[in-house]
């Protein structure tokens, strides 16, 4: 079952729970509706959060690249981007704003506190 089909089913469950609660007026039915609705709202909030991505090939290159005794993630990510990710996948050079963006993404990926905010994608 695709993610879209699962999402449609969850929305249908909320709609059916609303109809049932409206028909019966029972407090338990209304509680069931609000519980389902709140779960769905939380999923939508999570799904709509902005995310950072890093190509898997670049993420793999970071393994063992840095000295663990030096926790300066900005300095380390700057050096890494300059030496390993200084052009895009097609080999074309990019401007300073893209360079800075990549430094921030690599820095977030290297930092154990923010690593979970960076999604590794194919590429």
């Amino acid at each position: 079952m695709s993610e879209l089909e699962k999402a449609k089913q969850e929305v249908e469950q909320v709609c059916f729970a609303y109809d049932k609660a409206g028909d019966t007026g029972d407090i338990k039915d209304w509680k069931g509706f609000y519980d389902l609705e709140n779960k769905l709202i939380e999923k939508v909030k999570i799904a709509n959060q902005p995310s950072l991505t890093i190509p898997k090939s670049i993420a793999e290159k970071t393994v063992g690249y840095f000295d663990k005794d030096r926790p300066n993630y900005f300095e380390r990510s700057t050096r890494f981007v300059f030496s390993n990710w200084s052009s895009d996948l097609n080999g074309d050079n990019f401007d300073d704003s893209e360079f800075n963006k990549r430094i921030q993404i690599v820095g977030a990926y290297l930092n154990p506190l923010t690593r979970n905010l960076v999604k590794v994608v194919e590429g």
Side-chain angles (χ1 to χ4, degrees), residues 7-18:
K8 286 180 181 179
Q9 282 185 344
E10 289 182 37
V11 170
E12 286 176 1
Q13 287 177 344
V14 171
C15 292
F16 289 137
Y18 178 80

Side-chain angles (χ1 to χ4, degrees), residues 32-78:
F33 161 70
Y34 286 119
D35 288 345
L36 288 172
E37 182 185 45
N38 288 334
K39 286 180 189 175
L40 189 60
I41 289 170
E42 286 304 312
K43 286 183 179 182
V44 169
K45 285 180 184 177
I46 291 169
N48 287 326
Q49 288 180 348
S51 64
L52 300 172
T53 60
I54 186 170
K56 186 176 182 180
S57 60
I58 299 298
E60 289 172 348
K61 287 182 182 181
T62 65
V63 175
Y65 184 82
F66 299 104
D67 180 6
K68 295 181 191 301
D69 296 332
R70 299 180 65 199
N72 184 338
Y73 300 109
F74 178 76
E75 178 185 339
R76 291 171 16 185
S77 61
T78 302

